[in-house]
Amino acid sequence: MNIPVRKFDAIIVGAGGAGLRAAIQLSEAGLKTAVLTKVFPTRSHTVAAQGGVAASLGNSEEDHWHWHMYDTVKGSDWLGDQDAIEYMCRKANEVVVELEHYGMPFDRLDNGRIYQRPFGGHMSNFGEKPVRRSCAAADRTGHAMLHAMYQRNIKVNTQFFVEWMALDLIRDAEGEVLGVTAMEMETGEVSMFHAKATIFATGGAGRIYYSSTNAFINTGDGLGMAARAGIPLEDMEFWQFHPTGVAGAGVLITEGVRGEGGILRNSDGERFMERYAPNAKDLASRDVVSRAMVTEINEGRGCGPNKDYVLLDITHLDPHTIMQRLPGIREISIQFAGIDPIKAPIPVVPTCHYQMGGIPTNYLGQVVAPKGGDASAAVPGFYAAGECACASVHGANRLGTNSLLDLLVFGKSAGETAVEELKKSPRAHKPLAMEQIDKSLARLGRLNQQKDGASVHETRLAMQRSMQKHCSVFRFNDLLKQGVKSILDIEQQVARTEIKDKSQVFNTARLEALELDNLIEVAKATMISAEARKESRGAHVRDDAIDNAATPNGRDDQNWLKHSLWYREGNRLDYKPVKMTPLTVETIALKKRAY
Amino acid sequence: MHVSESYCPKPSPHIGPHLGRLRWHSRRALLELDLLLERFWMRYGDSLDAQQAVLLEGLLELEDHDLWDVLCGRREIDDPRWQGLIELLLE
């Protein structure tokens, strides 16, 4: 078979914030750079980011990167690597100012400087009081960021392959990454993209859960490709959940609704938060509210035919207040729950929001994996950044506004490192064995030939329901064990999915089957890593983790202050130490995480 | 609202492969839009005519936040012929 080969110095998979930032770095250095993307760049999920980007500019009040670093380490529940966190927080001002120079329309102060607003978890003077650190462009920060960086890429001649789906990573016998195989959606044609540097910026995989705030495109394609190529996935048990997503849809209902007097009720109509948080009640922190909701559902006090959600009640509020102060919420509720919240309560459920784990990298953006006694040996030619990567700066829990910062800093550093590596040892492309495309062709061939197979839709739904039931916001030993069995059973179904439509042009059935191949890898990594971690830390909260002086909030530093590494082959788990030593400052010492 | 990410309409003979492209362009950056468009395809994918397909193509060219504002009635529509389609999307 004659497979086209397209040669570039560097290829980037994914055109969200991290991919676009990396591409700028490579193209500006004069390298021939291609970006492959499933959707048009400005339709990447980065668009959904509203909160802003954290940087200790100190435009409104005193601030310092070291304070930002402290907040990030604490937020991560000490699972974040302190070298990477220092790097990110120190680089924040630089990447924000660069973005400003690219034309990002940040909100401004009267004196012309970038306006900054406070955001949860960001404090001054090592946790003393809230600080204004978030730089935003109204409520469209992600959208504005993508536009600014896309325009910059056009200026520096980055070549875009829009509506191409990457299929598999190409590695040679020594493990060096030589590019990817990819399919053009318009023709169904498969090509090899041959590169000296390959950067993954494919975003998260929030669609593994039934209830997710993530857009449908977030299917963990980079994680699936990395796992199939023998790269481990790091800290996949850590997912951030938001307490109030519309049940069955996932669309977020902002915390402001409870701020206006909204009450959570169970199937008995009881205001159950009074039992879990007698003082703060419905305004308790996200994790407390989420766990209470899940406990109510698990103990049979959920609502609806499947007793799988609780109700957010604002019917007691003055309709004028709802119309005036919460208009967007009314629209969302009517559209996605079929309920006018003035007349009836909104069904809500804790909803998957952000993936803290991912493809393991160092702060230079290089993908790393254990090799010959080195826990973090760089995989030659391979880089990753953004939500698909695990640097690890978010550790067990991410702070708001650090996600946009992550993709800017590590998108840039991945690009920068690739440029340096290529300058350090200029060379021709390594030879590409055409057999390496066989795996991708075999997957496509299997899909085309499958008879009496499983429905993609039903199989994905089974995976999403299993993840939601067994490995959600609050985790139980028995459920996790059942979940491992369940997800491995579902994996067997994924291996025999069938599509009826075999056409070549924009065959969305084929694309969704290929996406499911990636999702299931993330689901397995998550379930197996979560079952194994016998403590509570950050977003991973177990019912059986003991809360005492030695293990505050169930966090067991003696045994579990380490990163999980899941390997696809044999579903093997390995662990590596957390990097507790920053680059230039003293270690931020372990202590109980409390706000 | 039931979440479905896997509805593949039968290509109408008069629109053909163009439908697949539109279907893919309905994958958006915002979950709100994914959900409304998915529901639209489930209900009307099989019966979409060429005229509607052209109108949908125009609507899908909007930026995500602008499209959401149009659907919520917060932004005026650029083409009055979109109105019927918007009603189907919100139905």
Side-chain angles (χ1 to χ4, degrees):
Chain A
M1 184 180 267
N2 188 22
I3 303 291
V5 178
R6 299 165 193 269
K7 273 193 183 183
F8 291 90
D9 291 318
I11 57 162
I12 296 161
V13 183
L20 291 181
R21 185 63 191 82
I24 291 170
Q25 212 62 27
L26 291 154
S27 292
E28 281 186 344
L31 297 177
K32 190 180 173 196
T33 304
V35 178
L36 276 68
T37 172
K38 289 202 292 191
V39 296
F40 193 77
T42 53
R43 282 189 200 146
S44 305
H45 193 50
T46 305
V47 164
Q50 298 181 354
V53 51
S56 57
L57 296 169
N59 285 352
S60 297
E61 58 189 317
E62 189 184 3
D63 200 1
H64 197 280
W65 64 261
H66 201 181
W67 300 346
H68 184 190
M69 177 187 171
Y70 175 86
D71 298 337
T72 305
V73 171
K74 179 181 171 185
S76 82
D77 218 351
W78 276 267
L79 191 71
D81 285 337
Q82 296 198 17
D83 58 347
I85 294 174
E86 178 182 337
Y87 183 84
M88 180 177 80
C89 297
R90 291 184 77 143
K91 282 277 182 183
N93 294 6
E94 174 187 313
V95 293
V96 164
V97 170
E98 277 170 355
L99 199 56
E100 187 182 27
H101 293 167
Y102 298 158
M104 172 86 172
F106 282 116
D107 295 342
R108 302 277 166 185
L109 293 164
D110 289 341
N111 64 12
R113 290 184 173 180
I114 294 172
Y115 169 79
Q116 297 188 276
R117 60 187 180 203
F119 219 90
H122 289 279
M123 316 283 275
S124 66
N125 203 21
F126 305 104
E128 203 173 88
K129 59 176 184 169
V131 70
R132 295 175 203 175
R133 188 176 286 151
S134 171
C135 312
D139 61 352
R140 295 190 178 187
T141 309
H143 170 90
M145 186 183 274
L146 280 185
H147 273 266
M149 292 202 288
Y150 180 63
Q151 292 305 324
R152 183 75 178 187
N153 270 292
I154 296 300
K155 188 179 171 190
V156 295
N157 296 322
T158 302
Q159 192 171 341
F160 284 90
F161 289 81
V162 177
E163 291 168 350
W164 281 71
M165 181 162 183
L167 300 173
D168 284 292
L169 201 59
I170 302 170
R171 296 182 83 183
D172 68 8
E174 286 81 46
E176 180 162 348
V177 171
L178 305 178
V180 294
T181 55
M183 184 172 70
E184 184 179 23
M185 295 181 188
E186 191 168 12
T187 60
E189 186 183 75
V190 176
S191 294
M192 296 173 94
F193 282 77
H194 192 187
K196 298 172 188 172
T198 301
I199 299 179
F200 274 11
T202 53
R207 298 309 304 177
I208 64 168
Y209 283 94
Y210 181 70
S211 187
S212 172
T213 66
N214 285 200
F216 289 179
I217 50 175
N218 283 23
T219 54
D221 299 334
L223 284 83
M225 287 187 275
R228 282 194 296 276
I231 309 283
L233 300 182
E234 179 175 340
D235 291 342
M236 291 305 297
E237 59 270 47
F238 298 100
W239 290 82
Q240 190 170 73
F241 283 75
H242 191 287
T244 53
V246 174
V251 180
L252 272 189
I253 302 283
T254 168
E255 267 131 347
V257 171
R258 281 171 285 142
E260 290 294 336
I263 291 170
L264 289 162
R265 297 188 191 280
N266 61 18
S267 57
D268 300 329
E270 182 201 8
R271 184 182 191 179
F272 60 86
M273 282 311 300
E274 287 180 331
R275 278 189 280 119
Y276 297 90
N279 294 321
K281 296 175 186 162
D282 301 278
L283 293 174
S285 64
R286 279 184 184 179
D287 55 338
V288 171
V289 176
S290 291
R291 270 178 269 158
M293 290 166 73
V294 174
T295 303
E296 290 300 299
I297 291 166
N298 285 343
E299 292 182 357
R301 293 185 294 278
C303 306
N306 297 321
K307 293 186 162 293
D308 55 0
Y309 56 79
V310 297
L311 296 170
L312 178 57
D313 188 1
I314 54 173
T315 56
H316 55 286
L317 300 183
D318 177 1
H320 181 71
T321 304
I322 296 173
M323 305 284 275
Q324 195 77 13
R325 296 195 188 155
L326 306 168
I329 295 314
R330 189 169 182 234
E331 287 155 358
I332 285 171
S333 180
I334 290 171
Q335 276 305 322
F336 301 110
I339 281 166
D340 183 345
I342 290 174
K343 298 173 184 162
I346 312 165
V348 290
V349 68
T351 298
C352 167
H353 188 51
Y354 186 85
Q355 164 196 308
M356 266 77 74
I359 302 167
T361 65
N362 56 23
Y363 67 85
L364 299 172
Q366 297 170 300
V367 174
V368 294
K371 189 178 180 184
D374 181 355
S376 297
V379 177
F382 194 24
Y383 307 81
E387 193 171 340
C388 78
C390 181
S392 142
V393 284
H394 308 304
N397 184 54
R398 176 182 65 86
L399 287 191
T401 70
N402 266 354
S403 53
L404 290 184
L405 179 60
D406 170 357
L407 56 84
L408 287 175
V409 169
F410 295 109
K412 179 177 179 179
S413 78
E416 231 169 25
T417 309
V419 169
E420 283 166 18
E421 289 288 317
L422 293 177
K423 279 188 178 161
K424 206 162 59 186
S425 50
R427 55 179 169 78
H429 286 76
K430 284 183 84 174
L432 196 61
M434 295 306 281
E435 303 86 73
Q436 291 177 27
I437 203 170
D438 286 353
K439 284 182 190 169
S440 300
L441 295 180
R443 281 205 299 136
L444 292 170
R446 199 280 303 160
L447 251 185
N448 277 342
Q449 288 151 22
Q450 182 72 49
K451 298 270 192 295
D452 301 320
S455 145
V456 172
H457 173 63
E458 294 301 328
T459 308
R460 184 178 49 223
L461 204 55
M463 175 197 67
Q464 291 170 330
R465 286 190 187 280
S466 179
M467 292 304 300
Q468 197 76 31
K469 177 181 175 185
H470 299 108
C471 194
S472 187
V473 65
F474 196 22
R475 296 165 180 185
F476 302 83
N477 188 46
D478 290 350
L479 277 175
L480 287 166
K481 287 189 187 307
Q482 289 169 26
V484 170
K485 184 178 179 309
S486 161
I487 219 73
L488 293 178
D489 287 345
I490 292 165
E491 181 191 19
Q492 302 303 313
Q493 299 297 308
V494 175
R496 48 183 293 278
T497 47
E498 180 182 355
I499 53 171
K500 308 290 183 197
D501 178 7
K502 319 283 187 191
S503 63
Q504 290 295 94
V505 180
F506 276 102
N507 183 335
T508 52
R510 179 177 291 123
L511 295 169
E512 288 175 1
L514 292 168
E515 288 176 330
L516 183 57
D517 285 350
N518 296 324
L519 283 166
I520 192 66
E521 301 301 339
V522 181
K524 283 187 294 175
T526 300
M527 192 75 85
I528 290 166
S529 304
E531 191 278 328
R533 185 175 283 271
K534 313 291 187 198
E535 65 157 355
S536 290
R537 184 183 296 271
H540 175 67
V541 181
R542 286 182 71 116
D543 172 59
D544 55 356
I546 296 162
D547 180 11
N548 60 25
T551 56
N553 298 330
R555 195 183 82 196
D556 180 359
D557 291 326
Q558 194 175 342
N559 294 301
W560 287 102
L561 184 61
K562 56 188 179 183
H563 296 294
S564 309
L565 293 173
W566 170 85
Y567 289 83
R568 179 175 185 260
E569 193 176 345
N571 287 308
R572 181 169 64 88
L573 283 174
D574 194 2
Y575 294 91
K576 66 175 183 180
V578 175
K579 292 186 176 168
M580 298 295 286
T581 308
L583 298 171
T584 65
V585 292
E586 285 186 8
T587 294
I588 293 169
L590 288 161
K591 67 175 185 181
K592 181 176 176 175
R593 178 168 161 263
Y595 290 99
Chain B
M1 181 180 179
H2 178 65
V3 181
S4 171
E5 301 163 48
S6 187
Y7 176 73
C8 301
K10 298 180 204 93
S12 307
H14 50 287
I15 333 179
H18 184 55
L19 206 61
R21 182 197 302 272
L22 280 182
R23 179 76 184 78
W24 188 254
H25 287 182
S26 300
R27 287 279 202 106
R28 310 300 295 198
L30 300 178
L31 178 64
E32 290 89 327
L33 297 176
D34 277 341
L35 293 169
L36 292 183
L37 286 160
E38 195 66 23
R39 185 173 66 183
F40 172 84
W41 281 103
M42 287 175 71
R43 288 176 178 171
Y44 303 109
D46 288 341
S47 58
L48 204 66
D49 63 32
Q51 174 66 16
Q52 285 174 312
V54 169
L55 292 173
L56 181 60
E57 192 172 17
L59 200 61
L60 292 176
E61 279 171 13
L62 289 176
E63 296 283 353
D64 282 77
H65 288 291
D66 294 339
L67 179 52
W68 178 239
D69 283 349
V70 162
L71 294 175
C72 290
R74 285 195 292 259
R75 181 190 158 104
E76 282 187 24
I77 52 176
D78 301 342
D79 184 339
R81 295 175 303 164
W82 287 349
Q83 193 52 47
L85 206 53
I86 289 166
E87 283 165 15
L88 294 181
L89 276 161
L90 296 175
E91 196 171 68

